[in-house]
Amino acid sequence: MIKFHGPFAADLAAYNTFRTSQGFSESTHAFPLVKFDRYCGEFHPDASVLTREMALDWLKREVPFGLGGLRCKTAALRGFANYVNAMGGSAYVLPVRINPPMRRKVPHLLTDAEMTALFSQIDRLSARRRDVPGLLPTLFRVLYTCGLRPNEVLGIRRPDIDFGEGTIRIVDSKFHKDRAVAMSADMKAMMREYFRRLAKFRPETPYVFPGRRQDQIGYFAVRNFLNRCWAAAAHELGDKTPRTIRLYDFRHRFASAVLHKWLDEGRNILEAIPKLRIYMGHVSILSTLYYVHLLPESLRKSHGIQWEGMERIIPEDAE
């Protein structure tokens, strides 16, 4: 449970409870609301009303941290203000037009050399952290080898791992769907060894990948660690201007690797792709077909893909 301490602590806690009661994930707006709570506690400890000046000043202070996260922050604050007003209070509601324009995120399909260098840095730099030994190396390998969304990996709990079946149960993921994904033999062995360390160092936590307290490790902590590893890996490969990568790029790499394998086997992609859709938890087949669109031109035109007429149904952006 998230704790708030500023002048709007009671309202923020009530709003958070309301959101989760409606089926939304607590983690979606957790980070922005905690930051706003800290801002209010530091600069407006005696405030009783959320004013326009306070809302805009907070957002102005958040701009240097990146425009990408600013959309989430404005949405979180807008939702909170709407809740306060609906409950009979008074709060300034940020206009929708204040959001920075969305930029299409083009996935970076990591090459074999980049993956090797990146995992080498993940293993090396994780040894310097005060986590459960092997936490981040295991987390990133689950992220890649199982093709999971970042929030799905972070939310895995101990009972979700079935060593008998060799599966991970993904609970209440996107669109509130549950599914089971299979671990490879190597991944299962690594997870079993990691569980032994987890039982020794963090026996009290219900999460497979815990943070410093009782909750799961934070998204931004994992993302920032990835950025450090990627910078070191790019330097090792001699790339002085590497493209930015995201946690989601492991999922993109997984999907493209599966498609490459199927093409090597001479399988018809359109017949096989519904299986990939179910495994990855896509609601629409269009989200899965997007990965065909990302393949190199030479592969897209291979005998394994009936390309004629497909481009009109492939979405321009991923899930």
Side-chain angles (χ1 to χ4, degrees), residues 63-294:
V63 168
F65 296 103
L67 296 179
L70 208 59
R71 294 184 65 88
C72 181
K73 292 168 185 174
T74 57
L77 192 56
R78 186 182 301 112
F80 171 63
N82 280 324
Y83 171 80
V84 170
N85 292 333
M87 298 303 292
S90 177
Y92 172 73
V93 179
L94 291 165
V96 175
R97 65 178 182 275
I98 202 171
N99 280 341
M102 288 190 68
R103 292 178 295 177
R104 183 179 298 171
K105 297 173 181 176
V106 180
H108 175 61
L109 294 182
L110 293 148
T111 66
D112 290 346
E114 288 172 337
M115 289 292 289
T116 299
L118 179 56
F119 272 108
S120 175
Q121 294 299 331
I122 288 171
D123 294 343
R124 184 178 69 86
L125 294 178
S126 67
R128 303 177 182 177
R129 293 173 54 91
R130 292 187 296 171
D131 297 315
V132 177
L135 186 152
L136 287 167
T138 306
L139 184 155
F140 278 103
R141 283 169 172 82
V142 171
L143 188 65
Y144 169 51
T145 64
C146 296
L148 301 182
R149 299 180 179 97
N151 67 298
E152 293 174 343
V153 174
L154 301 181
I156 297 173
R157 294 172 177 261
R158 292 179 194 243
D160 298 333
I161 306 294
D162 187 332
F163 286 107
E165 295 293 329
T167 60
I168 302 174
R169 183 166 177 254
I170 306 302
V171 181
D172 195 24
S173 185
K174 196 171 184 179
F175 305 109
H176 307 292
K177 300 289 185 180
D178 296 355
R179 71 185 192 282
V181 298
M183 293 183 286
S184 67
D186 288 345
M187 187 70 255
K188 179 180 173 181
M190 185 177 190
M191 181 65 79
R192 191 181 292 277
E193 176 59 30
Y194 171 70
F195 254 59
R196 283 194 279 267
R197 300 193 194 104
L198 185 64
K200 177 181 179 181
F201 289 91
R202 295 294 300 275
E204 81 292 347
T205 179
Y207 289 100
V208 172
F209 302 113
R212 296 287 173 84
R213 298 185 292 275
Q214 297 297 324
D215 54 355
Q216 65 198 49
I217 191 170
Y219 172 88
F220 291 96
V222 177
R223 187 200 64 179
N224 293 340
F225 177 77
L226 173 64
N227 290 339
R228 287 178 54 208
C229 295
W230 176 238
H235 177 76
E236 177 185 319
L237 295 171
D239 189 351
K240 296 181 179 179
T241 57
R243 288 185 55 181
T244 300
I245 67 170
R246 302 179 299 147
L247 292 171
Y248 241 101
D249 287 330
F250 286 90
R251 181 169 163 90
H252 299 320
R253 161 75 190 207
F254 167 84
S256 65
V258 170
L259 293 174
H260 274 265
K261 181 176 182 293
W262 286 347
L263 287 170
D264 290 341
E265 294 171 350
R267 299 176 66 179
N268 185 308
I269 295 298
L270 289 187
E271 292 180 357
I273 210 165
K275 296 180 180 179
L276 183 60
R277 171 205 167 206
I278 294 172
Y279 185 89
M280 298 188 74
H282 289 151
V283 172
S284 169
I285 194 71
L286 298 181
S287 296
T288 317
L289 286 172
Y290 171 77
Y291 291 108
V292 179
H293 188 69
L294 291 179

